[in-house]
Amino acid sequence: MQSSDNTISSSSSRSSGLGTITYNPFFSLPIPPNIVAEWTALIPLVAHLASYRHDHQLAGEAALSGRLNVSLFPRLGVLDGIARLLAGGPDFLDRVSTLGEVNRHVWDVNWGSSFPCANGAASSIITAYALGCANSARVRMPEHVAAISKIQDPEKSANGTPESLPVSMTDELAIAPKNTQTAKNTTARTIRQLPRHKGGSGFSNTEVGVSFRRYQTLHVIDFSRQKSTGSYRLYQLVDKIAESYTSTGMRFLLLLGIGVVLCLCGIFGTAVVLLIGVMTQFICQFLKVRRPPGYLDNNENHSACMLLSSHKNSSTWYLHTGDRGVVDSLLNKTMFSIPSYGRVLMHWFRLAHIIQLMAMTFVAAEKGWDGIALLILLLSADAMHWRYGQNQLARRWLKNEGVCVKAKSFEFTGRTAMLGAIHKMSGTKVTTWMDEIMPPVPRRQAWLNRLSKGQDENESPDSDFEALSRFDQDWVLLHSGLVTQAVSELQKELGKKSWV
């Protein structure tokens, strides 16, 4: 009989919306539907978890905002990531810079060096913002080359057999004699498209089809310095007031009062999560990251020209040009450091992570109004955190630092033409930067020599070119023409002769 009374009492407690505990709150709430109570209690624990890349994102947001941005209800695991950031410092930043969706690599065109991107998340946020603001369509590079010359083999010219050629971006291309010393042994001929490959034995001499192209997309991101406008100064003033100590204190008291009301209603799990978020935001308000000496300063006397991609066999590339202080800071240098007192606060974030874990699992077991309130808190926190979204962070960083960014996208028919155009526009004589992407074979050297000298119709080919096979000579002539036209197109679209 007593067991039956206990069962009835427990059922009555659950039906009153209190969940699994039997505590009677100060304020009684109506009974929620069982399906709603069960469902909402599981959503935060399942959908609000941090992934391995949140450390990467945390470092990028801190680099751009100059502070640790924490939501009122951070994802489970974020607080532990902040604790590891405060404990690890530079070592933590070195590790998480390569933990994003892609591991990006940088090639410095001017200096010939290559290195992993130091601020992968921050540079990705700025690049995405710049490309999102670009209104122009992708510019397609020319696929046709102007008439160039090629020495014809007199034996093959005599028997009328056309010579098979390696690559062409056009249906046919007239070849005129070029070397006046051997003009008597040359005749005009036509370069045809690349024959389709048959099996593994080479090219067919009878079947001519469309040549294979692996299109390469080059996004040119150009950085320059600018002064803040009057309208943005007003926005900065409003933002400064919102983050002032007075506003922070008022917000802290308001949210603390909401937590007390939740406790009076018996919604203990959500109240604990809310109070943890309030305390964490209050601490982060006073935890400012430090900018290193020489931040955004240019320590050279030339502009930047750094190529970035996921790997050396990519199809999408990002060329960062313009102010070298900005580009070098984004891709190569540390953008912030943690103050010494951060290690003391590390213990709070570790404790807060444990308490948040216990509170969220408590809500999943408790259900009732606690689960509904936690879901409402999750949605509200995400809505309040919009000002720290990636586009907002990028825009605020650019305005605060006085940086202007412009983006334009180009589509090349192949990687060789793209690399040649970048090299020629850079004006540098350094070529080691492209060794990982394009091996330094003899025909590459002859091609680079031709680009640097700008050979005209009356100039004799150099020894490197003469030493090549017929196949490689045709390759050099074709891609030299493609690079020349691509450079002209870049200069017209970008409004500048070079990137230096």
Side-chain angles (χ1 to χ4, degrees):
M1 192 71 178
Q2 184 177 1
S3 175
S4 177
D5 291 340
N6 291 337
T7 302
I8 295 174
S9 176
S10 176
S11 300
S12 176
S13 174
R14 289 176 182 164
S15 64
S16 65
L18 297 178
T20 56
I21 60 176
T22 58
Y23 174 78
N24 292 319
F26 187 80
F27 296 114
S28 298
L29 297 175
I31 301 174
N34 288 335
I35 183 62
V36 175
E38 296 277 349
W39 180 55
T40 55
L42 294 176
I43 290 179
L45 192 61
V46 173
H48 206 55
L49 303 176
S51 66
Y52 74 95
R53 60 180 294 269
H54 272 81
D55 289 345
H56 176 79
Q57 184 178 349
L58 171 67
E61 292 178 353
L64 294 180
S65 64
R67 53 176 293 182
L68 297 176
N69 300 311
V70 181
S71 170
L72 187 61
F73 182 15
R75 290 179 177 270
L76 185 60
V78 168
L79 298 179
D80 185 58
I82 296 177
R84 285 184 279 111
L85 169 62
L86 298 178
D91 179 67
F92 177 86
L93 295 177
D94 290 341
R95 287 185 286 105
V96 302
S97 62
T98 59
L99 291 180
E101 295 178 350
V102 290
N103 180 12
R104 298 195 168 192
H105 202 80
V106 182
W107 291 267
D108 192 331
V109 177
N110 291 324
W111 290 90
S113 58
S114 64
F115 46 87
C117 185
N119 300 288
S123 60
S124 297
I125 292 173
I126 298 297
T127 299
Y129 174 79
L131 293 175
C133 294
N135 297 323
S136 57
R138 184 178 301 175
V139 178
R140 193 162 187 175
M141 290 288 106
E143 296 190 23
H144 301 271
V145 295
I148 56 178
S149 60
K150 177 70 178 69
I151 300 175
Q152 174 83 2
D153 189 343
E155 295 182 0
K156 291 189 177 182
S157 176
N159 59 27
T161 303
E163 186 178 349
S164 178
L165 294 174
V167 179
S168 176
M169 300 300 173
T170 62
D171 291 339
E172 60 181 21
L173 178 62
I175 299 299
K178 179 171 184 170
N179 193 338
T180 56
Q181 296 178 355
T182 56
K184 60 182 181 179
N185 294 328
T186 64
T187 57
R189 68 173 193 176
T190 297
I191 292 183
R192 301 171 62 84
Q193 285 181 303
L194 176 68
R196 292 189 184 128
H197 191 276
K198 292 210 169 183
S201 59
F203 296 114
S204 169
N205 291 326
T206 58
E207 183 181 3
V208 177
V210 178
S211 60
F212 171 78
R213 297 184 180 94
R214 185 185 178 187
Y215 289 102
Q216 304 287 301
T217 301
L218 178 66
H219 301 291
V220 179
I221 316 296
D222 187 71
F223 294 87
S224 60
R225 298 299 181 105
Q226 68 174 7
K227 294 182 179 180
S228 299
T229 60
S231 59
Y232 189 75
R233 291 194 188 99
L234 178 61
Y235 182 84
Q236 284 180 312
L237 178 61
V238 174
D239 192 51
K240 189 175 182 179
I241 294 174
E243 294 183 356
S244 64
Y245 295 149
T246 303
S247 300
T248 301
M250 294 177 62
R251 186 167 59 249
F252 176 79
L253 293 176
L254 174 63
L255 294 174
L256 188 63
I258 295 176
V260 172
V261 173
L262 291 176
C263 290
L264 293 176
C265 295
I267 307 177
F268 301 111
T270 304
V272 172
V273 171
L274 177 62
L275 294 177
I276 287 295
V278 171
M279 289 296 298
T280 301
Q281 283 191 336
F282 186 76
I283 292 174
C284 288
Q285 183 73 20
F286 300 95
L287 181 59
K288 304 289 186 180
V289 301
R290 294 176 178 173
R291 297 299 187 186
Y295 172 67
L296 297 185
D297 288 344
N298 186 3
N299 56 355
E300 299 293 341
N301 60 351
H302 58 79
S303 299
C305 185
M306 298 187 186
L307 184 65
L308 181 145
S309 73
S310 302
H311 50 80
K312 60 186 178 182
N313 198 32
S314 296
S315 296
T316 303
W317 305 78
Y318 303 87
L319 185 67
H320 292 66
T321 63
D323 190 286
R324 192 179 186 278
V326 177
V327 175
D328 203 32
S329 295
L330 275 174
L331 304 183
N332 190 31
K333 295 180 179 178
T334 301
M335 295 184 66
F336 73 97
S337 60
I338 301 298
S340 56
Y341 61 85
R343 296 184 64 87
V344 178
L345 299 176
M346 166 195 68
H347 302 289
W348 160 257
F349 287 98
R350 285 181 174 171
L351 177 63
H353 167 69
I354 296 173
I355 297 175
Q356 185 190 27
L357 174 62
M358 295 176 63
M360 290 181 65
T361 52
F362 171 82
V363 171
E366 172 65 9
K367 302 179 179 63
W369 278 105
D370 222 344
I372 298 174
L374 190 62
L375 180 60
I376 294 174
L377 176 62
L378 188 156
L379 299 176
S380 301
D382 288 344
M384 294 169 60
H385 203 60
W386 69 271
R387 63 196 299 265
Y388 296 110
Q390 292 192 353
N391 284 340
Q392 294 291 330
L393 279 176
R395 182 174 63 85
R396 294 155 75 92
W397 181 80
L398 292 170
K399 295 295 184 181
N400 289 333
E401 304 298 344
V403 176
C404 177
V405 60
K406 296 180 181 179
K408 203 166 187 64
S409 301
F410 301 89
E411 185 177 69
F412 289 81
T413 53
R415 188 175 302 157
T416 302
M418 182 192 73
L419 296 178
I422 293 173
H423 176 70
K424 197 168 180 65
M425 284 281 288
S426 69
T428 181
K429 295 182 179 180
V430 179
T431 61
T432 53
W433 64 273
M434 65 173 71
D435 289 352
E436 296 180 358
I437 309 172
M438 186 179 181
V441 295
R443 73 176 183 183
R444 193 196 83 166
Q445 185 59 44
W447 169 66
L448 290 174
N449 290 341
R450 191 174 185 86
L451 292 180
S452 62
K453 294 179 181 178
Q455 291 174 325
D456 55 29
E457 292 295 323
N458 297 321
E459 187 176 353
S460 301
D462 56 25
S463 58
D464 290 334
F465 180 82
E466 291 292 346
L468 298 176
S469 65
R470 297 286 182 180
F471 187 96
D472 288 343
Q473 287 181 359
D474 288 331
W475 183 93
V476 170
L477 292 173
L478 173 67
H479 288 88
S480 298
L482 289 174
V483 169
T484 301
Q485 295 185 90
V487 168
S488 299
E489 192 70 23
L490 285 171
Q491 292 173 344
K492 181 181 69 174
E493 293 291 335
L494 299 175
K496 57 173 68 176
K497 295 295 184 182
S498 66
W499 287 314
V500 295

